[in-house]
Amino acid sequence: DDLSFGGVDTLTPGRQVLVPTQDAAGTPSWSAGILRGQIVGVGETVAGYPVESVPQTDAQGTWFAVRGEDGTEGWRLADQVIPLPATSYGLLSETLAGVSVPLYDASGVQRSVFSFSPATLAMADLIQAMVYEALEGFCIAPGGSFTVTESCKTTLPQAIALAAVCNAIYESRLLPKAVGDQGHAIGLFQLHDRGLGRGLSVEDRNDPKRNTEVMLKELNRQLRRPSQLRTLAAEVGAGRSVGLDRWTAAFCIEVERPKYPELSGLSRARSVVALQGAFREFAVPQAPLLAARAPEPEIQLPSQPERQLPAPPPSSSSGVSAGTVGLVALGIAATLGIGWAVSQATTPAYST
């Protein structure tokens, strides 16, 4: 169940992090901040704090010094701090604002459009940050061994983050307290009390971080067994491009597992195309899964001039013309190379 697949230390001073907060209406959300270091003792001031200090804990856990976007400084427990991606791609909220995502039913008919709000953009950032924390440096070589390559670092977390966000849009519209299936499915990824949410309280499933952790544990399990997701990770490890549509469908079928996984996977694969520009340097994905294949162009051969055959000569009284005999003899000569046939062919024919 270790989510740090790559074993990378992601909680270092200076790292951008997400911390829980709430908006003006008191709705729980998440916001970005800067990790200043780990608090030596609870209650100490942050000013002048030596960020290289040895981690310290108390009965509640390890504490971190955090400076928020508005300049406010304070303390957060380790389980309230989520590292943001240490990449040049930026937050999803920076690139998804204003993006509309068409939503399709199982038959492929568009039924509605999802538009991001500040609250749902915060949830997208949360999912992105947790996926990066789990997958940073993780990849599978074509032979099946775990490895780290540049293509893994730049492609795998990006694609899975967007695949996860697209699935959460379908499941909950990115609302952390969404309720479905007559109260059995709760939260961002609609954890079902008879499925991945078994044994979890409603409060646990309403917590977007806890909800996402459960999904990432299932992702971890799928990546370490024969699965579509593992196959796609191996393709990335081999340096090949894997389209967002394939990641999204595989995430739906093997991690989310809705009532109709295959049909739902096709619908979500179609929708994720709207998100493919979310990363500034994201590799161009393959063509969408459901895109109609362009017809092959017809090969136009150069026209051949029509051959005009000479009109046959009039028939002789015997019914066999001299020209016919000559042509037959020439054919024999060409095939067998018999010289006398040529001489016979040039001799006038006589009727008997």
Side-chain angles (χ1 to χ4, degrees), residues 161-228:
L162 282 176
V165 167
C166 185
N167 274 275
I169 289 173
Y170 267 85
E171 291 297 319
S172 67
R173 302 300 188 267
L174 287 175
L175 300 175
K177 293 189 176 182
V179 179
D181 199 9
Q182 300 179 343
H184 291 284
I186 304 290
L188 274 183
F189 291 96
Q190 291 291 277
L191 296 182
H192 202 284
D193 54 16
R194 285 178 286 217
L196 292 178
R198 185 187 302 273
L200 295 176
S201 66
V202 172
E203 182 180 3
D204 282 338
R205 289 179 285 161
N206 275 333
D207 179 355
K209 181 182 178 184
R210 181 76 180 112
N211 200 289
T212 305
E213 280 179 350
V214 173
M215 300 305 292
L216 291 180
K217 286 183 179 181
E218 181 60 21
L219 172 67
N220 183 1
R221 190 178 76 85
Q222 294 295 337
L223 286 172
R224 296 176 185 276
R225 61 180 291 274
S227 64
Q228 293 182 46

Side-chain angles (χ1 to χ4, degrees), residues 1 4 8 27-28 41 71 73 136 177 188 205 251 262 273 285:
D1 290 342
S4 299
V8 178
T27 304
E73 296 183 338
E136 195 168 26
K177 293 189 176 182
L188 274 183
R205 289 179 285 161
F251 190 99
E262 299 287 346
V273 176

Side-chain angles (χ1 to χ4, degrees), residues 133-157:
E133 182 183 9
L135 293 178
E136 195 168 26
F138 173 86
C139 204
I140 301 173
S145 60
F146 293 88
T147 185
V148 177
T149 67
E150 196 60 34
S151 61
C152 299
K153 296 178 183 178
T154 58
T155 303
L156 192 64

Side-chain angles (χ1 to χ4, degrees), residues 1-344:
D1 290 342
D2 180 15
L3 297 182
S4 299
F5 301 161
V8 178
D9 177 16
T10 56
L11 290 175
T12 53
R15 185 70 180 266
Q16 277 196 309
V17 293
L18 285 179
V19 293
T21 184
Q22 57 185 18
D23 59 21
T27 304
S29 186
W30 291 75
S31 69
I34 296 292
L35 191 69
R36 287 178 53 83
Q38 294 170 312
I39 297 301
V40 175
V42 178
E44 290 187 9
T45 60
V46 176
Y49 169 73
V51 295
E52 69 277 3
S53 296
V54 177
Q56 297 293 317
T57 61
D58 65 3
Q60 293 180 278
T62 301
W63 291 81
F64 291 91
V66 178
R67 180 190 294 120
E69 291 176 303
D70 60 357
T72 303
E73 296 183 338
W75 303 277
R76 287 291 182 182
L77 283 167
D79 62 358
Q80 297 177 317
V81 175
I82 303 173
L84 287 172
T87 71
S88 61
Y89 301 108
L91 298 178
L92 285 178
S93 58
E94 298 173 354
T95 48
L96 290 181
V99 172
S100 296
V101 182
L103 304 179
Y104 303 90
D105 62 16
S107 62
V109 177
Q110 182 177 335
R111 294 300 184 187
S112 61
V113 175
F114 172 82
S115 297
F116 287 93
S117 67
T120 55
L121 286 171
M123 292 300 104
D125 283 345
L126 171 69
I127 293 171
Q128 177 197 22
M130 294 186 68
V131 168
Y132 266 84
E133 182 183 9
L135 293 178
E136 195 168 26
F138 173 86
C139 204
I140 301 173
S145 60
F146 293 88
T147 185
V148 177
T149 67
E150 196 60 34
S151 61
C152 299
K153 296 178 183 178
T154 58
T155 303
L156 192 64
Q158 301 168 48
I160 292 183
L162 282 176
V165 167
C166 185
N167 274 275
I169 289 173
Y170 267 85
E171 291 297 319
S172 67
R173 302 300 188 267
L174 287 175
L175 300 175
K177 293 189 176 182
V179 179
D181 199 9
Q182 300 179 343
H184 291 284
I186 304 290
L188 274 183
F189 291 96
Q190 291 291 277
L191 296 182
H192 202 284
D193 54 16
R194 285 178 286 217
L196 292 178
R198 185 187 302 273
L200 295 176
S201 66
V202 172
E203 182 180 3
D204 282 338
R205 289 179 285 161
N206 275 333
D207 179 355
K209 181 182 178 184
R210 181 76 180 112
N211 200 289
T212 305
E213 280 179 350
V214 173
M215 300 305 292
L216 291 180
K217 286 183 179 181
E218 181 60 21
L219 172 67
N220 183 1
R221 190 178 76 85
Q222 294 295 337
L223 286 172
R224 296 176 185 276
R225 61 180 291 274
S227 64
Q228 293 182 46
L229 287 165
R230 185 181 177 91
T231 299
L232 297 181
E235 290 187 34
V236 172
R240 293 193 291 271
S241 174
V242 177
L244 286 175
D245 54 331
R246 296 175 65 194
W247 281 115
T248 304
F251 190 99
C252 174
I253 293 168
E254 297 183 338
V255 179
E256 186 63 56
R257 298 200 291 270
K259 187 174 183 180
Y260 304 106
E262 299 287 346
L263 291 176
S264 297
L266 291 175
S267 298
R268 298 173 193 200
R270 194 172 184 180
S271 293
V272 80
V273 176
L275 306 179
Q276 67 186 23
F279 289 100
R280 300 182 184 92
E281 302 175 27
F282 187 69
V284 177
Q286 298 174 2
L289 191 65
L290 301 182
R293 184 178 178 181
E296 297 288 342
E298 294 185 7
I299 299 176
Q300 299 292 335
L301 297 176
S303 57
Q304 298 289 337
E306 187 176 348
R307 297 180 64 187
Q308 298 293 333
L309 298 177
S315 301
S316 63
S317 59
S318 64
V320 179
S321 68
T324 300
V325 174
L327 287 172
V328 172
L330 284 171
I332 296 173
T335 305
L336 302 178
I338 303 175
W340 63 268
V342 176
S343 64
Q344 293 297 319

